[in-house]
Amino acid sequence: MTIAIVLIVASALLGIATGRVFRIWALVMISPLIAIVSAIVLRVYDFGMVGGVTVIAICLAVSQLAYFAASYLLHARAVSPHDEVDGEPGEIGEKKIRR
């Protein structure tokens, strides 16, 4: 059971690291890697079929949730719910916008 928790925590850390550095397309590369490494480790520790698949699914879900949480926290300051789309330039303004 300890190895399952270690795999889940490692998947979360990998998701956080990916969310801080890369874009969402990196999940396409990271997810199969997590699944393969988890399957190998769980097979070595003699997990059953149902238990192994459950742990792998949890690892993938936790990794993706951690990715979205990290990327949201990274970009949350740039997005303001008070910004309105009214056709007028904001406080900073943009060049080459006609009236």
Side-chain angles (χ1 to χ4, degrees), residues 5-98:
I5 295 170
V6 169
L7 286 173
I8 293 169
V9 170
S11 297
L13 292 175
L14 189 60
I16 290 171
T18 305
R20 302 276 300 167
V21 178
F22 298 110
R23 296 194 178 261
I24 196 164
W25 299 109
L27 285 177
V28 174
M29 304 284 261
I30 297 297
S31 294
L33 180 71
I34 290 172
I36 292 170
V37 169
S38 296
I40 291 171
V41 169
L42 291 171
R43 178 70 179 143
V44 168
Y45 282 92
D46 293 327
F47 264 70
M49 177 71 165
V50 176
V53 170
T54 304
V55 171
I56 291 171
I58 291 171
C59 286
L60 291 173
V62 165
S63 171
Q64 292 175 6
L65 288 173
Y67 172 87
F68 287 122
S71 64
Y72 174 76
L73 291 175
L74 183 66
H75 300 292
R77 293 183 205 141
V79 178
S80 173
H82 300 292
D83 288 342
E84 294 182 15
V85 180
D86 58 0
E88 297 292 323
E91 294 174 7
I92 298 172
E94 296 180 24
K95 298 182 181 196
K96 298 182 183 176
I97 294 180
R98 292 187 238 162

